[in-house]
Amino acid sequence: MGLQTIFRAVIMGPPGSGKGTVSSRISQSFGLKHLSSGDILRANIQAKTELGLLMKACIDQGQLVPDDVISRLILSNLKTMDHSSWLLDGFPRTVAQAEALDTMCSVDTVINLNVPFDTIKERLTSRWVHLASGRVYNIDFNPPKIPGLDDVTGEPLIQRDDDTPDTVSRRLKAYENQTQPVLEYYRSKGVLETFTGTETNKIWPHVHAFLSKRLSGNQQDTGKA
Ligand code: ATP
Ligand code: MG
């Protein structure tokens, strides 16, 4: 489907809340370009770029990378997507990052996946990812067709170095302290839309319905007031 107006969305939620899975469904269903800060950082680590090597320790310990580093990286990526609709995943993660994004453009909607921390902890340890595409599988509820292999490319899946129980706890702390204030930031701007649940497959129909409505509204807006 072609979007007549440019639509800019952010997806938020604690680590393992299903942002990656919901993001790929959104980009498939609505044609928004998916940009994931975590995927970009992991690609840099994989390719052993200077940035990747510098940030690896930080990421493996479950800490956030510095605001100025990630903001510069993401904003320069967004500049190349000037005329497309996009969905940002993993950025902004601090109020400083949200303010940096605001200097470039405003966000139309923020999809907040509100998943209980208890659910998340057990989920992350059964998670497998395809590094090159960011596709996420879960051996319990969203397994690959062939165990250990990506459905699309047939390449091997890996477990992330930061999906260990201790690191997951630190990532949840970072989320509480540094990222939850960003939800308030967007709530006060009136663009925050929260979806609560424990299962991605149950949350997804609500996200789909919401975006269908928002995007068709958008298209009518171009004709009307
Ligand atoms: P999940 O992908 O399961 O939702 P997550 O949100 O913790 O979990 P990613 O978004 O992939 O994972 O990020 C992995 C790591 O990369 C983070 O723990 C952090 O170290 C770093 N990182 C990613 N995005 C940012 C950001 N916007 N600011 C600071 N650090 C970031
Ligand atoms: Mg992710």
Side-chain angles (χ1 to χ4, degrees), residues 19-20 36 39 42 89 127 160:
K19 294 186 299 271
S36 156
D39 288 354
R42 281 185 289 280
D89 163 9
R127 174 164 80 171
R160 278 168 45 175

Side-chain angles (χ1 to χ4, degrees), residues 15-16 19 37-38 41-42 63 65 90 93 97 127 160 171:
K19 294 186 299 271
S37 57
L41 289 170
R42 281 185 289 280
Q63 288 165 350
V65 308
R93 240 197 190 70
Q97 292 176 19
R127 174 164 80 171
R160 278 168 45 175
R171 285 160 63 198

